[in-house]
């Protein structure tokens, strides 16, 4: 924090002028593992602000990058047409690990199950052979399953389609009169992971 000297949000403003109409890539480089807020706005040819600024919240691990695609036109009345994160199964799995490291999502078995779903989707998409459309369908279904599990945890709902290992694990805790670790997901983690998977 510039005023207090205490650790706090860091703000960087990058003004790039003039910007021609086109598609641009914004790359964030993680110098530390932390949450961030990315805000993008534009100006038209006369220097007046465009009305369709965009913002995204996310998190990034030290030593990794996150890329965003920005389509922009400085003509009056146009501005930012698209602003999305470049996402793959690998980046989604990295974001899941980063969220765990930041304490934004928890319960080891829950996280392992989410990672397993993403690994299966990644494997389905990478399959070779003449069934490309079926492979994509399987990968998309894994992403939907991932989002469903995130939503249930975020809403605090019981996950009825847990696998037998999860149910056995809970049963062993009950026999020892222990409470199993509570699964949770914070709002920033839910919004970011669900949006990226979507």
């Amino acid at each position: 924090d510039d005023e207090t000297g205490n650790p706090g949000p860091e703000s960087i403003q990058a003004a790039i002028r003039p910007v021609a109409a086109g598609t641009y890539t914004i790359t964030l480089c993680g110098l530390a593992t932390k949450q961030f807020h990315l805000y993008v706005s534009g100006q038209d040819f006369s220097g007046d602000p465009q009305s369709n600024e965009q913002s995204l919240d996310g998190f990034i691990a030290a030593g990794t990058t996150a890329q965003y695609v920005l389509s922009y036109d400085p003509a009056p009345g146009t501005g930012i047409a698209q602003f999305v994160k470049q996402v793959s199964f690998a980046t989604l799995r990295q974001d899941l690990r980063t969220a765990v490291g930041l304490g934004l999502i928890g319960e080891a078995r829950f996280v392992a199950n989410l990672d397993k779903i993403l690994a299966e989707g990644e494997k389905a998409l990478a399959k070779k052979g003449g069934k490309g459309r079926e492979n994509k369908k399987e990968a998309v279904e894994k992403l939907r399953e991932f989002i469903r599990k995130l939503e249930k945890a975020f809403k605090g709902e019981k996950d009825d389609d847990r696998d037998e290992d999860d149910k056995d694990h809970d049963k062993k805790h009950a026999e020892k009169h222990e409470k199993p670790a509570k699964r949770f997901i914070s709002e920033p983690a839910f919004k970011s992971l669900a949006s990226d998977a979507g």
Side-chain angles (χ1 to χ4, degrees):
D1 186 295
D2 288 340
E3 294 175 8
T4 66
N6 295 325
E10 294 165 17
S11 178
I12 300 170
Q13 184 171 353
I16 304 165
R17 295 184 190 96
V19 177
T23 301
Y24 297 86
T25 301
I26 298 171
T27 303
L28 301 182
C29 302
L31 302 179
T33 300
K34 62 187 340 175
Q35 291 179 258
F36 65 85
H37 176 77
L38 180 60
Y39 171 83
V40 179
S41 65
Q43 296 178 339
D44 64 23
F45 289 124
S46 63
D48 294 329
Q50 298 278 19
S51 61
N52 61 346
E53 62 269 353
Q54 301 283 323
S55 64
L56 291 169
D57 292 305
F59 34 85
I60 192 166
T64 66
T65 61
Q67 291 191 322
Y68 295 83
V69 173
L70 171 71
S71 295
Y72 179 72
D73 188 341
T78 53
I80 300 167
Q82 179 190 30
F83 183 50
V84 294
K85 183 176 180 182
Q86 294 290 89
V87 183
S88 66
F89 277 103
T91 59
L92 198 51
R93 292 178 76 188
Q94 175 59 53
D95 286 349
L96 178 62
R97 289 188 293 273
T98 303
V100 171
L102 290 169
L104 301 175
I105 185 170
E107 202 268 309
R109 295 183 69 77
F110 172 57
V111 172
N113 188 271
L114 291 173
D115 188 59
K116 179 181 171 189
I117 292 166
L118 293 176
E120 289 169 353
E122 188 173 25
K123 185 177 176 183
L125 196 59
K127 281 182 192 172
K128 301 277 189 230
K131 298 183 179 180
R133 178 173 255 158
E134 286 179 31
N135 295 349
K136 286 180 184 177
K137 265 184 161 179
E138 186 181 344
V140 167
E141 187 49 46
K142 290 298 176 184
L143 288 171
R144 288 186 178 134
E145 182 182 355
F146 177 77
I147 293 170
R148 278 193 303 270
K149 288 190 178 289
L150 290 177
E151 284 175 346
K152 284 190 173 203
F154 183 64
K155 292 176 181 176
E157 296 175 3
K158 196 82 168 158
D159 192 359
D160 296 330
D161 59 345
R162 294 178 305 149
D163 63 27
E164 290 306 314
D165 286 344
D166 282 340
K167 291 174 185 174
D168 288 344
H169 182 71
D170 289 352
K171 192 175 179 181
K172 286 176 187 171
H173 276 286
E175 288 168 1
K176 293 179 183 177
H177 304 290
E178 297 174 351
K179 276 191 164 183
K182 183 162 173 61
R183 61 185 57 186
F184 70 92
I185 181 166
S186 68
E187 187 173 352
F190 171 71
K191 284 182 175 177
S192 183
L193 291 169
S195 171
D196 289 353

